[in-house]
Amino acid sequence: MSAPRVSLWLGVAVCAVAFAYGAWERRWIADDGLIVLRTVRNLLAGNGPVFNVGERVEVNTSAAWTYIIWFFSWISGVQTEYVVLTVALVLSVTAIPLAMLGTARLYKGGAGWSRLRGSGLLLLPAGGLVYMALPPARDFATSGLEVSLTIFWVALLWWLAVAWSQADRDPVERGETIRYWALTLSTAFVAGLSWLVRPEMALVGGLVLLVMFAAPIGWRLRLGITVAGGFLPVAYQIFRMGYYGLPVPNTAVAKDATGSKWGQGFTYLMNLVEPYSLWLPVLALLLAMPLLLLPARGARAPLTGRFHLPRGGARGLRDQLQRPAVIVAVMFLGGVAETLYWLRQGGDFMSGRVLLAPLFLLLLPVMVIPLRIPARQPGDSKVRGLARLAGGTAGAAIAAVLWVLVIGWALHATTLRGQPDGTSIGRTGIVDERAFYSLQTGHAHPITADDYLDYPRMHALQEILRQTPRGGVYLPSFDYDWWFIDPLPYPRPDDVPLRQTVFFTNLGMTGMNLPLDVRVWDQIGLAWPMASHTARLEDGRIGHDKEMFPDWAVAEAKAYPKRPALPGFIDPDWVNQSRVALTCPQIQQLQSSYSAPLTFDLFKRNLKLSYANYKLRIDRVPEYTLRMCRLDVPPPLTDEQKSMPKP
């Protein structure tokens, strides 16, 4: 076996084993990861892809992740927490070797591995080491969130796109033609999945599809690319708009995916870069790239292949699109675009989480790096040979020093804490989620919903729900051991459904530890559209910068609106105003889109009005919503109207 093969596969094996070990040592499932599992439970129970029975709200950003976990849970019958832990770990650990193999293809010629024969080239792990050395990368390898699926999708698309860029688009033999078509359509299909993996990843998948479609490949293959890349995401988009009544997941509304918080975004970026000095290995790899990619005299650069300056205008440019250099540029541009998107969005409240996929994209071209060992070429004169050896040795030595620097940084970064120990969130609103929940639950590796029962309030919530079967709205108190209860009216009117409604931020642990017939709402709006359609608070904690007042929850659940049943911090006047505001035609249309019985007519109406539903905004102060809807503000209630009649 040649030196390039040995060095590559040895690096792949080392990275896979090291990342698997590091991820397992930091294994856990986040509260947000448990949110997905509540939807999976409803799917398995036959209630549809919903979080609360009877409310068609898409609580999970990644549709693909939801259905992957549902499929493996259904086919295996294993507890969903262990399914998601296993699937996440496998995808995360597979992603780095797959990305490394994709990068290694850049140093192949069209004839395959034959160009890697000889002892003059070593393929060494680099970018993969940078990624896996970061503690957040190991944290989110098993978090139950779709980070693992996202980086696996990126790695798979990278491997396929590089292979496609090197394939002969004019094959002669029938077998080669079939393989080329299969490779092209597979690449297009995977690129099209971007919208389902995470909506913003359509920036990357869309760029790859655009390059493939514009390449000189013939109209039949273009049609095939269109169908392969577009059928599934378009079909799901039609389903999403008709079933949920929105053109995007509800999480995009709740977190205002088109919002702008640049200042917080740069704070989030520095939160990832500064603690680990991430700039150091990135700078080293940037400096090494010219030495690594420039070919020796008479050789061919790995990224250019048969590339030459285009002639003949647009057609000449199109002729150059199926090239490795174009794919490298497209993926790098996608990484830059993803980074800018999250900077504009303001990042996230979980340290490093949303920047991991953009970082992975940016590191793709240097997942492995070639170290060329200089040698005299046949036909060189003695002087020329010595000059080649001297120049090559100097370049190789510099590259080797830079690679050793990356190795040293990676070993050091794995030992860094980087973030506070989880005891406090701090002014930035960014926290090490794994450390936070490990501390709050008392479990080093909180994985199952039962582990989260030791989180404050969870045991008390279960107990109080058992004690109050007549239903009502359950609100967290200022004490961790009990909850406020606003019961349903008794005797209960016919238009008030018998239901227990929990109003709490932590949807994952709450939803997974309660029966499916208990409704769980949150003030941020991930599961409650009334909250998701409020305006974003400028000074709110990122990812939690919507704060719907509980008065609306009491009004919508039709709980008893008078004291002393009504908790003291809720204003009966606001409850009354919220009740009237819920009659606003726009709000009723929104409610109908996700809670009315689904018929074909409603499906069609949702398709037409999904964008209007998306744009709707509700003011959390009910009086302002009444004025927006041009409804009369009810007069203040009298003291007698605010209180229960005395016995």
Side-chain angles (χ1 to χ4, degrees):
M1 185 178 290
S2 63
R5 281 176 176 265
V6 171
S7 59
L8 172 64
W9 286 107
L10 183 60
V12 164
V14 168
C15 287
V17 171
F19 194 38
Y21 175 79
W24 183 255
E25 283 293 298
R26 302 172 77 94
R27 64 193 179 277
W28 72 304
I29 294 179
D31 174 66
D32 281 30
L34 293 176
I35 293 176
V36 178
L37 302 188
R38 166 89 170 194
T39 302
V40 170
R41 283 177 62 200
N42 273 304
L43 278 167
L44 294 172
N47 299 323
V50 299
F51 189 81
N52 291 313
V53 177
E55 295 180 348
R56 297 180 301 276
V57 180
E58 191 174 14
V59 180
N60 310 320
T61 302
S62 174
W65 186 236
T66 300
Y67 287 101
I68 287 172
I69 301 306
W70 164 78
F71 174 77
F72 284 106
S73 298
W74 170 68
I75 203 171
S76 68
V78 175
Q79 186 175 337
T80 53
E81 291 96 321
Y82 295 118
V83 170
V84 75
L85 179 71
T86 303
V87 173
L89 182 62
V90 169
L91 291 179
S92 295
V93 172
T94 306
I96 287 183
L98 188 58
M100 292 171 67
L101 293 174
T103 306
R105 295 187 68 95
L106 295 174
Y107 305 100
K108 292 170 57 174
W113 285 100
S114 60
R115 296 191 61 86
L116 293 181
R117 291 174 183 164
S119 60
L121 181 68
L122 298 177
L123 294 178
L124 306 174
L129 294 174
V130 173
Y131 181 84
M132 60 191 279
L134 290 171
R138 303 196 299 280
D139 286 348
F140 290 103
T142 62
S143 65
L145 297 164
E146 69 278 356
V147 175
S148 54
L149 174 64
T150 305
I151 65 169
F152 175 80
W153 172 81
V154 167
L156 180 59
L157 180 62
W158 169 244
W159 188 90
L160 288 169
V162 172
W164 172 80
S165 72
Q166 295 174 328
D168 186 357
R169 65 171 178 258
D170 297 312
V172 177
E173 298 181 3
R174 178 178 176 82
E176 293 177 346
T177 301
I178 294 174
R179 284 193 294 271
Y180 179 71
W181 271 71
L183 176 61
T184 301
L185 298 183
S186 298
T187 306
F189 175 77
V190 171
L193 291 178
S194 57
W195 179 248
L196 304 180
V197 172
R198 275 195 68 95
E200 75 274 4
M201 280 294 154
L203 292 169
V204 180
L207 284 172
V208 173
L209 286 173
L210 183 62
V211 167
M212 296 181 69
F213 189 85
I217 54 176
W219 68 268
R220 288 186 300 175
L221 199 49
R222 283 198 182 92
L223 179 61
I225 289 172
T226 303
V227 174
F231 176 78
L232 192 58
V234 170
Y236 186 81
Q237 184 63 15
I238 294 172
F239 166 77
R240 169 183 280 156
M241 294 167 69
Y243 187 81
Y244 295 111
L246 287 174
V248 293
N250 187 59
T251 51
V253 184
K255 299 194 176 182
D256 198 5
T258 59
S260 177
K261 285 192 173 183
W262 284 100
Q264 178 64 23
F266 281 103
T267 298
Y268 188 75
L269 176 65
M270 290 299 102
N271 180 267
L272 177 64
V273 172
E274 288 184 344
Y276 312 107
S277 301
L278 184 57
W279 58 270
L280 183 62
V282 172
L283 180 61
L285 291 174
L286 287 175
L287 292 174
M289 283 304 296
L291 298 169
L292 301 171
L293 296 181
L294 288 177
R297 184 175 297 180
R300 190 171 70 181
L303 297 186
T304 55
R306 297 177 300 228
F307 184 84
H308 51 79
L309 292 176
R311 297 180 182 179
R315 184 177 181 83
L317 180 61
R318 284 175 50 204
D319 287 338
Q320 308 303 314
L321 289 179
Q322 192 176 339
R323 296 288 184 268
V326 174
I327 297 302
V328 170
V330 163
M331 301 300 274
F332 188 83
L333 180 61
V336 172
E338 292 289 329
T339 303
L340 291 175
Y341 169 79
W342 284 113
L343 291 181
R344 183 179 188 274
Q345 174 70 6
D348 189 47
F349 62 94
M350 302 186 197
S351 178
R353 174 198 167 197
V354 297
L355 289 180
L356 290 175
L359 175 65
F360 198 82
L361 279 161
L362 294 172
L363 290 172
L364 286 175
V366 290
M367 279 291 170
V368 296
I369 58 176
L371 183 61
R372 302 181 185 278
I373 301 174
R376 291 183 60 179
Q377 300 295 324
D380 278 352
S381 65
K382 186 174 182 179
V383 175
R384 186 176 181 181
L386 290 174
R388 185 191 297 276
L389 283 173
T393 301
I398 295 173
V401 168
L402 293 173
W403 181 73
V404 170
L405 179 63
V406 170
I407 295 290
W409 173 88
L411 292 173
H412 178 64
T414 58
T415 65
L416 295 176
R417 180 183 294 274
Q419 302 298 324
D421 59 6
T423 56
S424 62
I425 294 174
R427 290 184 298 174
T428 65
I430 306 167
V431 69
D432 181 340
E433 283 277 295
R434 188 189 65 83
F436 177 82
Y437 282 114
S438 295
L439 180 67
Q440 294 294 320
T441 63
H443 296 274
H445 305 287
I447 293 174
T448 66
D450 286 346
D451 292 336
Y452 279 90
L453 283 175
D454 294 321
Y455 187 83
R457 296 192 177 98
M458 287 296 102
H459 276 298
L461 175 60
Q462 285 193 322
E463 182 62 28
I464 203 167
L465 284 168
R466 283 193 293 266
Q467 294 174 359
T468 54
R470 290 180 179 176
V473 176
Y474 301 78
L475 303 159
S477 72
F478 309 106
D479 189 334
Y480 290 152
D481 295 329
W482 59 282
W483 288 68
F484 291 106
I485 309 171
D486 185 18
L488 298 180
Y490 185 81
R492 183 171 52 83
D494 293 338
D495 65 335
V496 179
L498 177 60
R499 197 162 194 181
Q500 295 169 311
T501 301
V502 177
F503 186 74
F504 191 47
T505 304
N506 298 91
L507 286 178
M509 66 179 75
T510 308
M512 281 297 288
N513 280 302
L514 297 180
L516 294 178
D517 59 355
V518 176
R519 179 168 54 191
V520 183
W521 284 345
D522 63 311
Q523 63 266 45
I524 301 168
L526 295 177
W528 187 32
M530 287 301 100
S532 65
H533 286 269
T534 57
R536 198 177 187 187
L537 301 176
E538 288 300 321
D539 57 349
R541 183 190 177 198
I542 194 70
H544 296 72
D545 43 8
K546 292 190 176 180
E547 186 77 20
M548 190 57 154
F549 293 120
D551 311 71
W552 287 84
V554 170
E556 188 173 352
K558 299 181 179 179
Y560 199 74
K562 297 183 179 182
R563 304 192 192 283
L566 197 66
F569 60 89
I570 295 181
D571 188 341
D573 276 314
W574 277 38
V575 174
N576 188 42
Q577 292 173 6
S578 300
R579 179 185 57 80
V580 177
L582 289 171
T583 66
C584 173
Q586 297 98 311
I587 294 179
Q588 289 194 325
Q589 160 55 36
L590 175 66
Q591 289 181 315
S592 174
S593 70
Y594 66 84
S595 61
L598 186 64
T599 63
F600 185 62
D601 286 339
L602 179 61
F603 191 93
K604 291 190 296 183
R605 185 162 70 248
N606 281 351
L607 280 174
K608 295 177 182 177
L609 299 177
S610 60
Y611 185 71
N613 290 338
Y614 168 72
K615 297 294 291 183
L616 176 65
R617 288 296 178 267
I618 302 166
D619 200 293
R620 64 197 193 119
V621 178
E623 180 181 344
Y624 297 159
T625 296
L626 287 169
R627 297 186 186 281
M628 178 194 73
C629 294
R630 299 184 179 180
L631 295 174
D632 292 334
V633 179
L637 299 173
T638 64
D639 290 340
E640 291 76 12
Q641 292 173 319
K642 291 181 180 180
S643 303
M644 297 171 59
K646 295 181 179 180

